Amino acid sequence: MEESISTAHASSEAPQPDPAALRQRLLQWYDRHARRLPWRALPEEVADPYHVWLSEIMLQQTTVVAAAPYFEAFLARWPRVEELAAAPLDEVLTAWAGLGYYARARNLHKCAQSLVAEHGGRFPQEEAALQALPGIGAYTAAAIAAIAFDRPAAPVDGNWERVIARLFAIETPLPPAKAEIREAAATLVSPQRPGDFAQAMMDLGAILCLPGRPKCLLCPLAEDCAAYALNREKELPARTPKAAKPTRRGIAFWTIDAQGRLLLRRRPEKGLLGGMMEVPSTEWRGDHWSEAEALPQAPFPADWRALPGQVRHTFTHFHLELEVWAGRIESGASPPPGSLWAEPDELDKQALPSVMRKVISHALKRGG
DNA sequence: TATTCGTGGGC
DNA sequence: TGCCCAAGAAT
């Protein structure tokens, strides 16, 4: 109610986007400026739903530059969904290591298996059926429907949100504005090249309608844009301030056995870095650790010595400071449950997230 | 609706 | 250095 009032107010002083004319201008721009991306079908080429799905999962909250090499690697290793479904989960996690948000990899694997077991290895074309699959939410279902099957759908991602918020001069800050933006976005979709239109909105957001510094002088939609008319393009979309990140602390135990192998442990399936391997550590908490508190959480009793310095890493919602203690196990001790001895020259075969690669790099550098 | 869940590049 | 953000989903 209040949102539509503010939108209506802005529209009274600014151009009211005409969907048909806007679509035509945007598609014309897209035909000349579309990015060439590894997962994107060429013009007049039929999109491969497997490629579209794989890329969309990888691109969730992830930049094109970061996702591209992973997409190529996955496609080379598992060219079809049946092969991905047949792969062991640990191999998928290892291939995903470094890309982040590891629930995506677990759901990717689950989704592949569900597609093979329940859909004959074919992707459903309906948004509702797509969204019922693991790891596919409202956005990804719409993206696959539009891009892979050319169905009218509005995959409203961060690019769409920014473009729509400016086109309609929506003053409501994000994320509360999401519903309002989705409604406005829905008024723009049509059966005319919906897949290209969806990707054109994304390319526009990535190339011209940038956060903070939009290149309005080059924008094909400048004449449609309420924010531009109101000189509000740099301020929109507004965002609610984010909460400060707390700091958590822990001690990682760099444990080497008599044969020079490194002790690794698999993390629980759910939660942070779920299912990934780690250098065993104490719990991560706000308080610093005393030696008396830390030692009972070591994987073995040993003559632990603290390596100089610490490893810093920032997750989505907290900072982490890890101290690293190095210890040697003289006898060929059997690893604790859920743990294993890893050959130091084969660590690339382990599902190690970036924070753990930092720990390993730090320990090797500091003489662990 | 609000949290949780990674990482790296840009400024 | 610190904060911003990137083709969001699950709970």
Side-chain angles (χ1 to χ4, degrees):
Chain A
M1 324 310 148
E2 201 167 341
E3 292 86 340
S4 45
I5 289 171
S6 69
T7 302
H9 175 67
S11 310
S12 65
E13 312 175 7
Q16 173 81 22
D18 169 37
L22 182 154
R23 274 195 302 273
Q24 187 180 354
R25 279 192 276 277
L26 183 56
L27 285 169
Q28 193 173 11
W29 173 84
Y30 182 72
D31 288 335
R32 285 180 284 121
H33 298 284
R35 291 178 292 177
R36 288 188 291 278
L37 301 173
W39 44 83
R40 185 172 280 180
L42 298 171
E44 307 306 318
E45 202 176 42
V46 178
D48 184 326
Y50 175 55
H51 297 186
V52 174
W53 165 69
L54 180 60
S55 68
E56 289 299 340
I57 301 300
M58 288 183 168
L59 287 163
Q60 289 167 4
Q61 295 293 285
T62 304
T63 59
V64 163
V65 171
Y70 285 84
F71 176 82
E72 305 275 21
F74 267 67
L75 212 54
R77 184 159 180 183
W78 300 294
R80 296 169 308 175
V81 68
E82 289 82 0
E83 291 152 332
L84 180 59
L89 174 59
D90 182 59
E91 288 187 16
V92 177
L93 290 174
T94 299
W96 197 276
L99 197 53
Y101 284 142
Y102 297 99
R104 290 185 297 172
R106 299 194 300 275
N107 284 328
L108 183 85
H109 190 244
K110 255 191 245 173
C111 185
Q113 295 187 327
S114 173
L115 284 167
V116 169
E118 299 168 27
H119 295 83
R122 298 283 186 172
F123 283 82
Q125 300 192 16
E126 305 282 349
E127 282 186 72
L130 286 163
Q131 201 173 337
L133 292 163
I136 299 182
Y139 161 78
T140 304
I144 295 171
I147 300 170
F149 301 117
D150 214 32
R151 295 194 162 212
V156 179
D157 70 334
N159 291 303
W160 275 66
E161 284 180 350
R162 196 166 52 253
V163 171
I164 297 291
R166 285 171 173 159
L167 275 176
F168 293 84
I170 293 172
E171 294 283 352
T172 311
L174 286 168
K178 282 175 180 289
E180 191 179 345
I181 289 174
R182 274 195 298 273
E183 286 181 26
T187 68
L188 299 183
V189 303
S190 88
Q192 180 198 1
R193 297 176 65 188
D196 285 343
F197 180 73
Q199 297 177 91
M201 289 285 280
M202 296 176 191
D203 277 17
L204 189 75
I207 296 170
L208 297 180
C209 198
L210 301 168
R213 43 179 181 85
K215 302 178 178 176
C216 301
L217 295 181
L218 300 176
C219 182
L221 303 187
E223 63 193 279
D224 304 288
C225 185
Y228 184 60
L230 298 166
N231 200 23
R232 294 280 297 152
E233 71 274 9
K234 290 184 181 61
E235 285 72 34
L236 297 179
R239 288 187 184 276
T240 56
K242 293 174 183 174
K245 291 178 168 65
T247 297
R248 296 185 195 171
R249 299 168 177 90
I251 294 170
F253 298 99
W254 180 258
T255 314
I256 303 297
D257 78 352
Q259 300 154 51
R261 298 177 301 183
L262 170 65
L263 185 69
L264 295 179
R265 180 171 70 183
R266 190 174 297 280
R267 294 177 61 88
E269 285 302 313
K270 299 195 173 187
L272 185 71
L273 309 176
M276 301 295 284
M277 302 302 291
E278 67 176 353
V279 176
S281 77
T282 65
E283 163 197 1
W284 300 346
R285 67 180 196 191
D287 290 338
H288 290 83
W289 291 83
S290 70
E291 184 171 334
E293 289 175 310
L295 284 181
Q297 297 195 25
F300 291 103
D303 181 22
W304 299 104
R305 59 188 182 89
L307 300 180
Q310 60 183 2
V311 175
R312 293 170 178 271
H313 190 79
T314 298
F315 293 98
T316 309
H317 54 294
F318 67 93
H319 302 288
L320 178 65
E321 294 177 4
L322 281 179
E323 210 172 306
V324 182
W325 292 4
R328 293 189 174 276
I329 305 304
E330 293 306 336
S331 62
S334 63
S339 303
L340 57 82
W341 293 107
E343 297 293 342
D345 56 348
E346 292 189 342
L347 291 179
D348 55 339
K349 295 180 182 172
Q350 299 291 340
L352 289 163
S354 290
V355 61
M356 291 303 153
R357 295 192 180 273
K358 279 191 193 178
V359 170
I360 290 167
S361 168
H362 180 263
L364 293 174
K365 202 160 29 182
R366 300 309 177 94

